[in-house]
């Protein structure tokens, strides 16, 4: 792989990763609700799922999903249903003055939040990132464009995967920091309710798009 090819890959991944999607929305939401440090669990979950899916893609599952449309559609609908479920939970989350006060306490000390443990946030991030099987097909179609077939493929794949992880995590930090900046405004019940409705609606929108858009 030439340096020019690698830089082209870096620029491409930079803009692809920057695009808002379910992963970035979840990281931003958890950054707002739990703080920057706890949301590292969310980032780790998302990244673990993406790395696993890209590795699976390199192993040939992308070709399997292309050859078996029913399997792909099943995975796609399950993932879409999970995103809609997350959106519904956020939309219907009860908010009142008492809840807003509790939320303010969580933002002041995220460790007090019962659902801010690393394991729970990791699981949430992993499930959201893994809910989109298109990531496997995307990696199967995208990564080979930057691999020199005449050179050893494993070192090239490792470089591409490592580069992707660094850029993706960098954007996670940006989105989580953005969520942290809006956290003080969530102390008002009215604003917290609007935030839950907006984030829930966006999650449901992502799920509907995933179910509606064909390969």
């Amino acid at each position: 792989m030439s340096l020019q090819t690698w830089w082209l890959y870096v620029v491409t991944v930079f803009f692809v990763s920057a695009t808002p999607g379910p992963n970035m929305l979840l990281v931003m939401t958890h950054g707002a609700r739990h703080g920057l440090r706890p949301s590292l669990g969310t980032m780790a979950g998302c990244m673990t799922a993406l790395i696993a899916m890209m590795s699976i893609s390199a192993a040939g599952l992308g070709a399997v999903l292309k050859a078996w449309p029913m399997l792909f559609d099943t995975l796609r609908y399950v993932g879409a249903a999970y995103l809609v479920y997350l959106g519904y939970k956020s939309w219907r989350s009860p908010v009142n003055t008492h809840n807003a006060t509790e939320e303010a306490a969580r933002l002041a000390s995220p460790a007090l939040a019962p659902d801010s443990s690393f394991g729970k946030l990791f699981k949430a991030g992993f499930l959201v990132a893994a809910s989109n099987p298109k990531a496997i097909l995307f990696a199967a179609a995208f990564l080979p464009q930057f691999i020199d077939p005449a050179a050893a493929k494993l070192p090239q794949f490792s470089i591409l995967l490592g580069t992707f992880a660094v850029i993706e995590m960098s954007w996670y930090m940006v989105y989580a920091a953005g969520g942290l900046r809006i956290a003080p405004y969530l102390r008002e019940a009215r604003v917290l309710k609007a935030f839950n409705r907006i984030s829930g609606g966006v999650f449901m929108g992502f799920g509907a798009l995933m179910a509606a858009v064909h390969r």
Side-chain angles (χ1 to χ4, degrees):
M1 183 192 309
S2 67
L3 185 60
Q4 181 180 0
T5 300
W6 180 77
W7 273 113
L8 178 61
Y9 175 78
V10 168
V11 172
T12 304
V13 171
F14 179 86
F15 286 105
V16 169
S17 295
T19 304
N23 295 1
M24 296 300 178
L25 176 63
L26 185 70
V27 169
M28 186 186 73
T29 302
H30 283 183
R33 290 177 175 168
H34 306 296
L36 187 59
R37 183 176 296 180
S39 65
L40 290 174
T42 310
M43 302 179 205
C46 289
M47 183 55 60
T48 300
L50 288 176
I51 295 298
M53 294 172 78
M54 293 175 76
S55 300
I56 289 172
S57 176
L61 184 57
V64 174
L65 292 180
K66 286 183 179 180
W68 294 82
M70 185 175 294
L71 173 60
F72 174 84
D73 286 338
T74 299
L75 293 175
R76 180 163 60 89
Y77 287 130
V78 169
Y82 180 69
L83 290 181
V84 171
Y85 166 74
L86 284 182
Y88 178 78
K89 278 188 64 178
S90 180
W91 183 282
R92 297 288 296 172
S93 180
V95 174
N96 51 43
T97 305
H98 177 66
N99 287 344
T101 302
E102 287 185 346
E103 191 71 18
R106 292 185 185 188
L107 296 172
S109 182
L112 297 177
D115 56 349
S116 66
S117 68
F118 183 91
K120 289 184 177 180
L121 297 184
F122 179 94
K123 180 181 178 181
F126 185 91
L127 290 176
V128 167
S131 67
N132 185 5
K134 287 191 174 183
I136 297 177
L137 295 179
F138 173 78
F142 180 66
L143 293 182
Q145 309 299 323
F146 301 92
I147 291 180
D148 182 358
K153 295 180 178 58
L154 183 58
Q156 295 183 80
F157 177 74
S158 299
I159 292 172
L160 294 179
L161 205 59
T163 301
F164 171 83
V166 170
I167 296 174
E168 184 79 359
M169 280 298 294
S170 298
W171 276 113
Y172 286 164
M173 293 297 294
V174 170
Y175 274 81
L180 195 61
R181 287 182 65 87
I182 67 174
Y185 301 102
L186 301 182
R187 297 178 182 182
E188 297 182 23
R190 174 178 54 85
V191 178
L192 179 59
K193 182 177 181 179
F195 179 79
N196 288 342
R197 292 284 176 89
I198 292 173
S199 60
V202 173
F203 267 121
M204 288 189 281
F206 280 132
L209 284 174
M210 186 184 296
V213 176
H214 298 287
R215 286 181 293 171

